[in-house]
Amino acid sequence: MINDVALAVVTFERPFAVQRLIHSVRNHFPTMPIYVADQSAEAALMADFYSAHAVQVIRMPFDAGLAASRNALAANVREPYLFLVDDDFVFGPMSDPGPAVEILEQEPDIGVVGGRLHDMQGARETVRNWEMFLHLDQRSRTLTCTPIYNYAPLRRVVGRHVIYMADAVLNFCVIRKEILTTTLWDERIKINGEHEDFYLNLKLHSHWRVAYLPTMAAIHHHMYGGQRYEQSLRGRTEGWTYILSKWEINQHLEIGSGTREIGGGVGAWFANARGERRDGSCWESMPGGHAQETGATGLMNWRLRTVDEKIENFDETNPGATLAFLLRYEATGGAPPVMEFRPGSATADALVLWYRLGSAHHGPSERWCSSVSLRWTTADGMPLIWKSDLIATQPASSEWWAAACVPVPLWPRGSAEIRFEVLADSGSGEISLGRGVLNAANG
Amino acid sequence: MTQFPGLSRFERNVGGALSDPAKRGDFAEVKPYVDIAPGVQLGFERGNTASISIGEKADPSRSPETCVNQLVFSFSGSSRWLTLEIAGGWDDLDRAAQFQLGIYAKPSRIVDCRAVVRLPLGEVESEDVELASFRMPDGDACFNRTGSMRALESRRPEVARPPKLILFFDNRGALSLRLDYLTAYFA
């Protein structure tokens, strides 16, 4: 059954994120087909990684947009079910799409089964709980998204699973490919708004139902991609403006978050900070909540005090196995790890650092090398950052390039270049893994 | 004496204490707002004393080779504030809108800190520009922050007093802090 569902992910200028996702998927679902629609400017460095992890790549034009990229996935995936996720998710054993596929096979009216996302921001964890009913009121020109938790639960028992009906779920869902023959994403939207638009279409122009399966879970951990990605690409608001106009809406109310309106700065909610009711408490207080229904999922005890602890505890059946690579650098052969570097894209505040193991040290034995940090200096050796925070490194290989997003220090006045050195703590001292130079032209 | 070529006068002043082997000495009592090294002072309410020592650094990885010392201060008195104050230069702050701050230290307890730049306005008055608030764990800590700050006007050469980088430490109890290294520059 796992081979009937294909992971379908769009990535854009965050190779470090999609690599982390794929590592986590392969760790738990080694044979699941994976399709990546990559709309990054530079994808050549990812080719070996994709190949080594059996990823089928759909190369998209730069900034083709989320909607066009998802449509490309829909057109290319050969399996009957798409497992749609974002590139900054992390999978664990509870991310298994098998139960969702069982539900889709047993309930012919259901087209989408969404799962539960745990948002991690620093040491803070919240359950997103963005499962909505959509109400389009053409007379009042309003769209209202009401969390399903504001209603008595519309539950169904499907075999051993309990699901809850909704109109829209997060982009962590298994979709029956058949529905994508009639409902697709609107390619005039690059980002923001495409999600609501898709589910409105599904509700108003199809017979397919949407369900929420809280026992299918994953982590959403936003990875900072630099100012260019965050502000110029991710933060664009044209999509919101477009869907308000397309659906002839003046106001878009998301209960618990606030209201967007035409001409009122559609990129921001006007009231109520996001997350007010997103801590899972509402769900757990519902009669017939899933913890009581399905039992022994461990989800209710799935709490963390720190990010590290969550990382270590995510895989409850194999503690420490899932996300350890976030904090550790994999070296081999017992020799000092050596990293090769390739120039990466850089913005004023972030650098994508590409690295791989030196081939001389590729071997079967492994040694964990923690505390990888960067030292930044001016060209003449003046320290800018003596020891950076740990960087999120991935399991490395000599066969493919891994990517990390590294904060760049404040560029000192009058400097044409700054330099960095990657350092690992060997336990008995620092080991230099490699050096690099950043020119002002890059920054 | 080993010169410490910092990017800014803030760094050169603190580097003066950390880079000169001749400054090493056992614990000595110091009064508030007295130089413990040129341009470097501890701030707390009068009537108290703190102790400082400058010794050979124990961990060579904690600072550049030119920093051969570590500075330890301890305060257990009663004061509404406790600060480490480092004088800088106006040129460093000229029309600056961003900062880079790095503090490499080992406090004896978890300590909440706040970093500000204090700009003298005249003989007595001054204004503070907030840089960052952060928490240091009770162990070897590296704090690095790149950030924006309220854009500063051009230099004020008519003001005799220098601007200062001030680190405020919470006053929840006795504190001993080993300072290994500090970077602070602006652009």
Side-chain angles (χ1 to χ4, degrees), chain A residues 223-249:
Chain A
M223 296 184 88
Y224 183 71
Q227 286 177 347
R228 177 169 171 270
Y229 173 81
E230 301 291 333
Q231 295 168 10
S232 306
L233 303 177
R234 181 67 183 89
R236 287 176 289 187
T237 60
E238 294 87 346
W240 292 121
T241 306
Y242 170 75
I243 74 150
L244 292 180
S245 169
K246 172 181 174 179
W247 291 94
E248 299 183 336
I249 305 162

Side-chain angles (χ1 to χ4, degrees), chain A residues 13-80:
Chain A
E13 299 290 24
R14 291 198 297 183
F16 39 89
V18 75
Q19 285 187 337
R20 183 184 66 175
L21 167 70
I22 289 168
H23 280 303
S24 72
V25 173
R26 281 284 170 257
N27 202 17
H28 296 284
F29 309 103
T31 61
M32 185 192 292
I34 300 177
Y35 294 75
V36 174
D38 194 333
Q39 48 172 336
S40 306
E42 169 58 65
L45 282 177
M46 287 288 285
D48 290 337
F49 174 84
Y50 285 141
S51 174
H53 293 82
V55 173
Q56 300 180 63
V57 185
I58 302 158
R59 187 74 182 100
M60 300 298 295
F62 174 71
D63 196 17
L66 257 183
S69 300
R70 284 189 187 146
N71 289 344
L73 287 166
N76 282 276
V77 166
R78 291 184 293 274
E79 290 71 15

Side-chain angles (χ1 to χ4, degrees), chain A residues 227 375 378 382-389 408-413 415 430, chain B residues 5 7 61-64 91-92 94-96 98-100 104 144 181 185 187:
Chain A
Q227 286 177 347
R375 177 164 300 152
T378 60
M382 205 88 75
L384 302 173
I385 292 179
W386 182 249
K387 186 171 188 174
S388 75
D389 294 340
V408 173
L410 176 63
W411 205 280
R413 289 171 170 163
S415 293
E430 289 178 336
Chain B
L7 272 176
S61 74
R62 297 281 296 166
S63 59
D91 286 349
D92 297 320
D94 192 18
R95 286 184 283 274
Q98 292 180 289
F99 68 90
Q100 179 75 48
Y104 305 80
N144 292 292
Y181 187 50
Y185 64 91

Side-chain angles (χ1 to χ4, degrees), chain A residues 1 32 56 67 74 83 145 147 190 192-193 215 249 259 264 319 335 360 371 398:
Chain A
M1 184 179 294
M32 185 192 292
Q56 300 180 63
F83 195 2
C145 301
K190 295 241 183 191
N192 289 326
T215 49
I249 305 162
T259 306
S371 304
S398 59

